[in-house]
């Protein structure tokens, strides 16, 4: 279920918003990045990071493909 209904036109998301989308904390998002599991996002001049909607959608597709390749028990 997409949590981004009211942000359908939004292109960039903060770590908090990305965490909300996946129902995890922003700390978990940061850990995923350190572990190489999640795209790094774009560093802004202010020092904050934003994720492109397309990066998030691409990640979702990758995860779905990986999950489909896991043989069912």
């Amino acid at each position: 279920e997409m949590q981004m209904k009211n942000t359908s036109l939004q292109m960039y998301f903060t770590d908090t918003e990305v965490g909300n989308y996946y129902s995890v904390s922003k700390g978990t998002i940061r850990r995923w990045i350190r572990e190489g599991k999640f795209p790094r996002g774009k560093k802004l001049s202010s020092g904050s990071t934003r994720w492109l909607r397309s990066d998030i959608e691409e990640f979702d597709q990758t995860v779905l493909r990986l999950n489909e390749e896991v043989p069912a028990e």
Side-chain angles (χ1 to χ4, degrees):
E1 170 71 18
M2 287 287 258
Q3 295 296 308
M4 297 182 179
K5 288 183 206 71
N6 57 345
T7 53
S8 57
L9 299 175
Q10 189 174 341
M11 291 304 299
Y12 290 94
F13 298 90
T14 65
D15 53 1
T16 303
E17 290 170 324
V18 172
N20 290 343
Y21 175 64
Y22 292 109
S23 302
V24 298
S25 70
K26 63 184 182 182
T28 298
I29 297 295
R30 292 201 185 107
R31 192 181 77 238
W32 289 355
I33 293 164
R34 275 201 313 275
E35 294 171 353
K37 294 177 183 169
F38 196 75
R40 285 197 169 278
K42 312 274 182 270
K43 268 273 192 270
L44 305 184
S45 54
S46 62
S48 55
T49 303
R50 293 290 181 275
W51 283 264
L52 272 168
R53 170 181 291 280
S54 55
D55 290 344
I56 295 170
E57 289 171 347
E58 198 174 306
F59 174 77
D60 284 350
Q61 292 307 312
T62 304
V63 170
L64 288 172
R65 274 198 305 275
L66 288 174
N67 288 342
E68 285 166 6
E69 287 167 13
V70 174
E73 290 296 313

